[in-house]
Amino acid sequence: MPVSAANPITTADVIAARDRISGRLRRTPVLRAALDTPAGPVPVVFKLEFTQISGCFKTRGSLNAVLGAADRGELTDAGVLVASGGNAALGAAWAARIVGTSSTVVVPENAPPVKVSALRALGATVHLVGTRYQDAADAAAQMAADTGALLLHAYDLPAVVAGAGTIGLELIEDVEGALTTVVCVGGGGLLGGLAATLRPGDRLVGAEPVGASCLHQAQIAGRPVAVDLDSVAADSLGATRIGDICWATITGRAVDSAAIESVVVDDADIIAARALIWDRFRTVIEHGTATAVAAVTTGAVRAQPDSTLCIVLCGANTRLDDL
């Protein structure tokens, strides 16, 4: 069924995704810690999603989409095809491997070499096209039309968004009480999935770099708008427009509008947050992931007395030598 403002991703969609992918992926752990903020140290719960197969959350949505297509008889010998700046391609390649089919990925020519190398190591056929995600997406759509491959979308496909939302169900099970969950936003697939799991009393905060803020600018305009990219985190948060499914889901939620917020942070704070996670926890995360951490360490998101502050560390496919 097409997704629209009247038909966003629902909790039932996310539960169905969880049932479909259960036992095929890792159930990632949580870590209770504390972060220094302008108001002093605050307790946080980290969702260690970077320990997921593929090193990021994307495999959840890709596997949900591929298994669903296989159940409907829509998966052909041409396999799976996706355009991505890197992480969604890794998720799709892993999903194809789990199901036992081939994968083809189209990435921009400036995609991080560490991600391209990982894709090739997984056996994916890699095409480097253009310098923007949209260039790769246009090429992938044409390839899918020519070959009959199953075309996935990095963030704007119902099954992909629902699969990402399974993180929210795990947090509800692992952390007692109301949650304030902070997550970085690219095209909004993860944010949209988590929004579908919100309960009364929960909050959800989308964090973006100032120079890659398609959600923030959509909320100002009242609709998705095209944005320019100029951020150290643009290699993973590289969408130039918030996804329609994310937008439909967050605007269609039957909860207080204050339950879903948007904040932006500077690149300098993102870089500092990434270094902090390495210094304190000996964990190397992507700049995109560090955006969610920076939202807390800068005080853009504050702890609430009646809510547990959670940060989704959603990806770690990054260089190790630039900290």
Side-chain angles (χ1 to χ4, degrees):
M1 182 181 296
V3 172
S4 67
N7 183 37
I9 296 297
T10 67
T11 306
D13 296 323
V14 180
I15 291 172
R18 179 190 61 187
D19 294 344
R20 184 175 290 118
I21 67 177
S22 178
R24 297 174 182 263
L25 296 178
R26 295 172 185 155
R27 194 187 195 288
T28 57
V30 297
L31 172 67
R32 295 179 184 273
L35 285 178
D36 292 332
T37 76
V42 298
V44 298
V45 173
F46 291 123
K47 175 64 168 170
L48 306 184
E49 188 61 17
F50 63 84
T51 64
Q52 185 55 264
I53 292 172
S54 81
C56 68
F57 75 96
K58 293 286 190 177
T59 316
R60 293 176 184 258
S62 294
L63 184 58
N64 186 43
V66 174
L67 289 173
D71 290 344
R72 297 188 299 271
E74 297 173 1
L75 188 60
T76 71
D77 292 340
V80 174
L81 196 152
V82 68
S84 164
N87 278 339
L90 286 166
W94 267 105
R97 183 172 179 172
I98 291 168
V99 174
T101 190
S102 62
S103 61
T104 301
V105 298
V106 187
V107 299
E109 295 169 359
N110 55 355
V114 64
K115 297 180 182 181
V116 175
S117 296
L119 285 165
R120 288 177 171 146
L122 281 169
T125 300
V126 180
H127 298 273
L128 302 175
V129 178
T131 59
R132 303 176 303 145
Y133 167 74
Q134 193 58 52
D135 298 330
D138 292 342
Q142 185 59 56
M143 290 180 191
D146 293 341
T147 65
L150 176 68
L151 181 63
L152 301 181
H153 195 284
Y155 55 84
D156 211 17
L157 190 70
V160 166
V161 177
T166 59
I167 292 172
L169 298 181
E170 291 178 10
L171 279 172
I172 290 170
E173 293 177 355
D174 291 345
V175 183
E176 185 177 355
L179 306 177
T180 295
T181 304
V182 188
V183 62
C184 62
V185 179
L190 179 53
L191 183 80
L194 292 175
T197 68
L198 282 178
R199 306 161 299 173
D202 287 341
R203 296 169 60 216
L204 178 61
V205 184
E208 298 173 289
V210 172
S213 54
C214 57
L215 169 66
H216 197 69
Q217 294 190 47
Q219 290 196 323
I220 292 171
R223 59 182 176 81
V225 293
V227 304
D228 295 324
L229 300 177
D230 182 17
S231 171
V232 68
D235 65 325
S236 56
L237 307 182
T240 57
R241 183 180 182 276
I242 197 70
D244 290 334
I245 295 172
C246 173
W247 187 249
T249 302
I250 65 176
T251 56
R253 290 293 299 167
V255 296
D256 185 342
S257 60
I260 302 176
E261 304 169 40
S262 168
V263 300
V264 295
V265 292
D266 293 331
D267 274 11
D269 292 320
I270 293 170
I271 293 169
R274 183 170 178 257
L276 173 67
I277 294 298
W278 168 250
D279 290 339
R280 294 283 183 87
F281 306 103
R282 283 297 182 260
T283 297
V284 184
I285 57 176
E286 299 177 29
H287 285 109
T289 300
T291 302
V293 179
V296 175
T297 57
T298 60
V301 179
R302 299 182 180 182
Q304 303 294 321
D306 57 348
S307 180
T308 300
L309 187 56
C310 301
I311 303 175
V312 180
L313 300 183
C314 62
N317 293 310
T318 187
R319 292 169 55 187
L320 305 179
D321 60 353
D322 62 350
L323 284 165

PDB file of all heavy atoms in Angstrom, residues 103-128:
ATOM      1  N   SER A 103      24.237  -8.966  -5.207  1.00  0.00           N
ATOM      2  CA  SER A 103      23.970  -7.554  -4.945  1.00  0.00           C
ATOM      3  C   SER A 103      24.796  -6.682  -5.873  1.00  0.00           C
ATOM      4  O   SER A 103      25.958  -6.974  -6.164  1.00  0.00           O
ATOM      5  CB  SER A 103      24.280  -7.201  -3.485  1.00  0.00           C
ATOM      6  OG  SER A 103      25.644  -7.434  -3.187  1.00  0.00           O
ATOM      7  N   THR A 104      24.169  -5.614  -6.329  1.00  0.00           N
ATOM      8  CA  THR A 104      24.834  -4.588  -7.124  1.00  0.00           C
ATOM      9  C   THR A 104      24.576  -3.259  -6.436  1.00  0.00           C
ATOM     10  O   THR A 104      23.442  -2.970  -6.043  1.00  0.00           O
ATOM     11  CB  THR A 104      24.282  -4.541  -8.564  1.00  0.00           C
ATOM     12  OG1 THR A 104      24.482  -5.814  -9.177  1.00  0.00           O
ATOM     13  CG2 THR A 104      24.983  -3.469  -9.383  1.00  0.00           C
ATOM     14  N   VAL A 105      25.621  -2.455  -6.280  1.00  0.00           N
ATOM     15  CA  VAL A 105      25.465  -1.182  -5.598  1.00  0.00           C
ATOM     16  C   VAL A 105      26.049  -0.064  -6.457  1.00  0.00           C
ATOM     17  O   VAL A 105      27.038  -0.249  -7.167  1.00  0.00           O
ATOM     18  CB  VAL A 105      26.137  -1.185  -4.211  1.00  0.00           C
ATOM     19  CG1 VAL A 105      25.499  -2.231  -3.323  1.00  0.00           C
ATOM     20  CG2 VAL A 105      27.628  -1.428  -4.316  1.00  0.00           C
ATOM     21  N   VAL A 106      25.401   1.080  -6.398  1.00  0.00           N
ATOM     22  CA  VAL A 106      25.870   2.268  -7.112  1.00  0.00           C
ATOM     23  C   VAL A 106      26.152   3.330  -6.053  1.00  0.00           C
ATOM     24  O   VAL A 106      25.267   3.704  -5.286  1.00  0.00           O
ATOM     25  CB  VAL A 106      24.819   2.782  -8.113  1.00  0.00           C
ATOM     26  CG1 VAL A 106      25.406   3.916  -8.947  1.00  0.00           C
ATOM     27  CG2 VAL A 106      24.332   1.651  -9.013  1.00  0.00           C
ATOM     28  N   VAL A 107      27.403   3.781  -6.005  1.00  0.00           N
ATOM     29  CA  VAL A 107      27.799   4.775  -5.010  1.00  0.00           C
ATOM     30  C   VAL A 107      28.447   5.962  -5.710  1.00  0.00           C
ATOM     31  O   VAL A 107      29.000   5.825  -6.802  1.00  0.00           O
ATOM     32  CB  VAL A 107      28.778   4.186  -3.970  1.00  0.00           C
ATOM     33  CG1 VAL A 107      28.140   3.039  -3.207  1.00  0.00           C
ATOM     34  CG2 VAL A 107      30.072   3.733  -4.635  1.00  0.00           C
ATOM     35  N   PRO A 108      28.382   7.136  -5.123  1.00  0.00           N
ATOM     36  CA  PRO A 108      29.075   8.288  -5.717  1.00  0.00           C
ATOM     37  C   PRO A 108      30.578   8.052  -5.764  1.00  0.00           C
ATOM     38  O   PRO A 108      31.138   7.289  -4.975  1.00  0.00           O
ATOM     39  CB  PRO A 108      28.726   9.436  -4.754  1.00  0.00           C
ATOM     40  CG  PRO A 108      27.491   8.991  -4.050  1.00  0.00           C
ATOM     41  CD  PRO A 108      27.608   7.507  -3.924  1.00  0.00           C
ATOM     42  N   GLU A 109      31.227   8.713  -6.694  1.00  0.00           N
ATOM     43  CA  GLU A 109      32.665   8.544  -6.866  1.00  0.00           C
ATOM     44  C   GLU A 109      33.449   8.980  -5.636  1.00  0.00           C
ATOM     45  O   GLU A 109      34.583   8.519  -5.425  1.00  0.00           O
ATOM     46  CB  GLU A 109      33.138   9.338  -8.092  1.00  0.00           C
ATOM     47  CG  GLU A 109      32.561   8.822  -9.404  1.00  0.00           C
ATOM     48  CD  GLU A 109      32.822   9.770 -10.565  1.00  0.00           C
ATOM     49  OE1 GLU A 109      33.430  10.834 -10.331  1.00  0.00           O
ATOM     50  OE2 GLU A 109      32.405   9.443 -11.688  1.00  0.00           O
ATOM     51  N   ASN A 110      32.859   9.848  -4.827  1.00  0.00           N
ATOM     52  CA  ASN A 110      33.545  10.323  -3.626  1.00  0.00           C
ATOM     53  C   ASN A 110      33.126   9.567  -2.364  1.00  0.00           C
ATOM     54  O   ASN A 110      33.357  10.029  -1.244  1.00  0.00           O
ATOM     55  CB  ASN A 110      33.303  11.823  -3.431  1.00  0.00           C
ATOM     56  CG  ASN A 110      31.820  12.176  -3.390  1.00  0.00           C
ATOM     57  OD1 ASN A 110      30.962  11.318  -3.594  1.00  0.00           O
ATOM     58  ND2 ASN A 110      31.522  13.445  -3.157  1.00  0.00           N
ATOM     59  N   ALA A 111      32.532   8.386  -2.526  1.00  0.00           N
ATOM     60  CA  ALA A 111      32.157   7.571  -1.368  1.00  0.00           C
ATOM     61  C   ALA A 111      33.409   7.187  -0.584  1.00  0.00           C
ATOM     62  O   ALA A 111      34.485   7.000  -1.162  1.00  0.00           O
ATOM     63  CB  ALA A 111      31.419   6.311  -1.825  1.00  0.00           C
ATOM     64  N   PRO A 112      33.311   7.067   0.736  1.00  0.00           N
ATOM     65  CA  PRO A 112      34.482   6.714   1.541  1.00  0.00           C
ATOM     66  C   PRO A 112      35.108   5.396   1.076  1.00  0.00           C
ATOM     67  O   PRO A 112      34.406   4.377   0.961  1.00  0.00           O
ATOM     68  CB  PRO A 112      33.908   6.583   2.953  1.00  0.00           C
ATOM     69  CG  PRO A 112      32.708   7.451   2.946  1.00  0.00           C
ATOM     70  CD  PRO A 112      32.124   7.316   1.566  1.00  0.00           C
ATOM     71  N   PRO A 113      36.406   5.377   0.813  1.00  0.00           N
ATOM     72  CA  PRO A 113      37.070   4.150   0.350  1.00  0.00           C
ATOM     73  C   PRO A 113      36.875   2.962   1.289  1.00  0.00           C
ATOM     74  O   PRO A 113      36.789   1.820   0.840  1.00  0.00           O
ATOM     75  CB  PRO A 113      38.546   4.559   0.266  1.00  0.00           C
ATOM     76  CG  PRO A 113      38.516   6.032   0.022  1.00  0.00           C
ATOM     77  CD  PRO A 113      37.340   6.530   0.815  1.00  0.00           C
ATOM     78  N   VAL A 114      36.779   3.224   2.604  1.00  0.00           N
ATOM     79  CA  VAL A 114      36.606   2.127   3.536  1.00  0.00           C
ATOM     80  C   VAL A 114      35.290   1.398   3.283  1.00  0.00           C
ATOM     81  O   VAL A 114      35.206   0.168   3.429  1.00  0.00           O
ATOM     82  CB  VAL A 114      36.676   2.649   4.999  1.00  0.00           C
ATOM     83  CG1 VAL A 114      35.525   3.598   5.314  1.00  0.00           C
ATOM     84  CG2 VAL A 114      36.679   1.485   5.991  1.00  0.00           C
ATOM     85  N   LYS A 115      34.260   2.131   2.860  1.00  0.00           N
ATOM     86  CA  LYS A 115      32.976   1.502   2.576  1.00  0.00           C
ATOM     87  C   LYS A 115      33.002   0.777   1.230  1.00  0.00           C
ATOM     88  O   LYS A 115      32.446  -0.321   1.098  1.00  0.00           O
ATOM     89  CB  LYS A 115      31.863   2.552   2.617  1.00  0.00           C
ATOM     90  CG  LYS A 115      31.700   3.193   3.992  1.00  0.00           C
ATOM     91  CD  LYS A 115      30.587   4.225   4.027  1.00  0.00           C
ATOM     92  CE  LYS A 115      30.485   4.870   5.407  1.00  0.00           C
ATOM     93  NZ  LYS A 115      29.417   5.868   5.504  1.00  0.00           N
ATOM     94  N   VAL A 116      33.643   1.364   0.244  1.00  0.00           N
ATOM     95  CA  VAL A 116      33.749   0.720  -1.067  1.00  0.00           C
ATOM     96  C   VAL A 116      34.525  -0.583  -0.946  1.00  0.00           C
ATOM     97  O   VAL A 116      34.151  -1.612  -1.521  1.00  0.00           O
ATOM     98  CB  VAL A 116      34.406   1.671  -2.084  1.00  0.00           C
ATOM     99  CG1 VAL A 116      34.625   0.956  -3.411  1.00  0.00           C
ATOM    100  CG2 VAL A 116      33.533   2.913  -2.291  1.00  0.00           C
ATOM    101  N   SER A 117      35.609  -0.574  -0.170  1.00  0.00           N
ATOM    102  CA  SER A 117      36.401  -1.787   0.025  1.00  0.00           C
ATOM    103  C   SER A 117      35.576  -2.867   0.719  1.00  0.00           C
ATOM    104  O   SER A 117      35.641  -4.051   0.353  1.00  0.00           O
ATOM    105  CB  SER A 117      37.648  -1.467   0.853  1.00  0.00           C
ATOM    106  OG  SER A 117      38.503  -0.579   0.168  1.00  0.00           O
ATOM    107  N   ALA A 118      34.793  -2.465   1.703  1.00  0.00           N
ATOM    108  CA  ALA A 118      33.961  -3.435   2.417  1.00  0.00           C
ATOM    109  C   ALA A 118      32.909  -4.036   1.497  1.00  0.00           C
ATOM    110  O   ALA A 118      32.610  -5.233   1.569  1.00  0.00           O
ATOM    111  CB  ALA A 118      33.298  -2.768   3.618  1.00  0.00           C
ATOM    112  N   LEU A 119      32.345  -3.227   0.607  1.00  0.00           N
ATOM    113  CA  LEU A 119      31.349  -3.726  -0.340  1.00  0.00           C
ATOM    114  C   LEU A 119      31.950  -4.775  -1.263  1.00  0.00           C
ATOM    115  O   LEU A 119      31.357  -5.830  -1.504  1.00  0.00           O
ATOM    116  CB  LEU A 119      30.788  -2.560  -1.167  1.00  0.00           C
ATOM    117  CG  LEU A 119      29.803  -1.650  -0.445  1.00  0.00           C
ATOM    118  CD1 LEU A 119      29.612  -0.348  -1.219  1.00  0.00           C
ATOM    119  CD2 LEU A 119      28.471  -2.361  -0.260  1.00  0.00           C
ATOM    120  N   ARG A 120      33.118  -4.484  -1.776  1.00  0.00           N
ATOM    121  CA  ARG A 120      33.769  -5.440  -2.673  1.00  0.00           C
ATOM    122  C   ARG A 120      34.154  -6.713  -1.940  1.00  0.00           C
ATOM    123  O   ARG A 120      34.070  -7.814  -2.490  1.00  0.00           O
ATOM    124  CB  ARG A 120      34.973  -4.771  -3.327  1.00  0.00           C
ATOM    125  CG  ARG A 120      34.549  -3.721  -4.367  1.00  0.00           C
ATOM    126  CD  ARG A 120      35.704  -2.993  -4.980  1.00  0.00           C
ATOM    127  NE  ARG A 120      35.256  -2.167  -6.114  1.00  0.00           N
ATOM    128  CZ  ARG A 120      35.785  -1.009  -6.450  1.00  0.00           C
ATOM    129  NH1 ARG A 120      36.814  -0.510  -5.749  1.00  0.00           N
ATOM    130  NH2 ARG A 120      35.324  -0.330  -7.483  1.00  0.00           N
ATOM    131  N   ALA A 121      34.548  -6.579  -0.685  1.00  0.00           N
ATOM    132  CA  ALA A 121      34.887  -7.760   0.106  1.00  0.00           C
ATOM    133  C   ALA A 121      33.668  -8.650   0.330  1.00  0.00           C
ATOM    134  O   ALA A 121      33.803  -9.877   0.475  1.00  0.00           O
ATOM    135  CB  ALA A 121      35.480  -7.340   1.444  1.00  0.00           C
ATOM    136  N   LEU A 122      32.482  -8.050   0.338  1.00  0.00           N
ATOM    137  CA  LEU A 122      31.244  -8.817   0.488  1.00  0.00           C
ATOM    138  C   LEU A 122      30.800  -9.485  -0.810  1.00  0.00           C
ATOM    139  O   LEU A 122      29.842 -10.248  -0.820  1.00  0.00           O
ATOM    140  CB  LEU A 122      30.119  -7.896   0.980  1.00  0.00           C
ATOM    141  CG  LEU A 122      30.105  -7.560   2.464  1.00  0.00           C
ATOM    142  CD1 LEU A 122      29.106  -6.451   2.746  1.00  0.00           C
ATOM    143  CD2 LEU A 122      29.785  -8.787   3.295  1.00  0.00           C
ATOM    144  N   GLY A 123      31.486  -9.171  -1.898  1.00  0.00           N
ATOM    145  CA  GLY A 123      31.135  -9.755  -3.187  1.00  0.00           C
ATOM    146  C   GLY A 123      30.167  -8.934  -4.002  1.00  0.00           C
ATOM    147  O   GLY A 123      29.683  -9.391  -5.047  1.00  0.00           O
ATOM    148  N   ALA A 124      29.873  -7.716  -3.561  1.00  0.00           N
ATOM    149  CA  ALA A 124      28.954  -6.859  -4.312  1.00  0.00           C
ATOM    150  C   ALA A 124      29.629  -6.323  -5.566  1.00  0.00           C
ATOM    151  O   ALA A 124      30.841  -6.039  -5.570  1.00  0.00           O
ATOM    152  CB  ALA A 124      28.491  -5.692  -3.446  1.00  0.00           C
ATOM    153  N   THR A 125      28.863  -6.168  -6.618  1.00  0.00           N
ATOM    154  CA  THR A 125      29.325  -5.474  -7.817  1.00  0.00           C
ATOM    155  C   THR A 125      29.140  -3.984  -7.579  1.00  0.00           C
ATOM    156  O   THR A 125      28.025  -3.531  -7.304  1.00  0.00           O
ATOM    157  CB  THR A 125      28.529  -5.912  -9.051  1.00  0.00           C
ATOM    158  OG1 THR A 125      28.707  -7.319  -9.242  1.00  0.00           O
ATOM    159  CG2 THR A 125      28.993  -5.162 -10.290  1.00  0.00           C
ATOM    160  N   VAL A 126      30.226  -3.220  -7.657  1.00  0.00           N
ATOM    161  CA  VAL A 126      30.198  -1.804  -7.295  1.00  0.00           C
ATOM    162  C   VAL A 126      30.369  -0.931  -8.529  1.00  0.00           C
ATOM    163  O   VAL A 126      31.295  -1.116  -9.311  1.00  0.00           O
ATOM    164  CB  VAL A 126      31.310  -1.473  -6.273  1.00  0.00           C
ATOM    165  CG1 VAL A 126      31.261   0.009  -5.900  1.00  0.00           C
ATOM    166  CG2 VAL A 126      31.174  -2.344  -5.034  1.00  0.00           C
ATOM    167  N   HIS A 127      29.460   0.024  -8.696  1.00  0.00           N
ATOM    168  CA  HIS A 127      29.561   1.030  -9.754  1.00  0.00           C
ATOM    169  C   HIS A 127      29.729   2.397  -9.098  1.00  0.00           C
ATOM    170  O   HIS A 127      28.948   2.761  -8.212  1.00  0.00           O
ATOM    171  CB  HIS A 127      28.307   1.037 -10.627  1.00  0.00           C
ATOM    172  CG  HIS A 127      28.064  -0.249 -11.359  1.00  0.00           C
ATOM    173  ND1 HIS A 127      28.625  -0.525 -12.584  1.00  0.00           N
ATOM    174  CD2 HIS A 127      27.316  -1.331 -11.017  1.00  0.00           C
ATOM    175  CE1 HIS A 127      28.229  -1.731 -12.987  1.00  0.00           C
ATOM    176  NE2 HIS A 127      27.439  -2.238 -12.046  1.00  0.00           N
ATOM    177  N   LEU A 128      30.727   3.141  -9.517  1.00  0.00           N
ATOM    178  CA  LEU A 128      30.950   4.497  -9.022  1.00  0.00           C
ATOM    179  C   LEU A 128      30.397   5.480 -10.044  1.00  0.00           C
ATOM    180  O   LEU A 128      30.870   5.541 -11.185  1.00  0.00           O
ATOM    181  CB  LEU A 128      32.441   4.753  -8.798  1.00  0.00           C
ATOM    182  CG  LEU A 128      33.142   3.797  -7.822  1.00  0.00           C
ATOM    183  CD1 LEU A 128      34.635   4.075  -7.788  1.00  0.00           C
ATOM    184  CD2 LEU A 128      32.547   3.920  -6.434  1.00  0.00           C
TER     185      LEU A 128
END
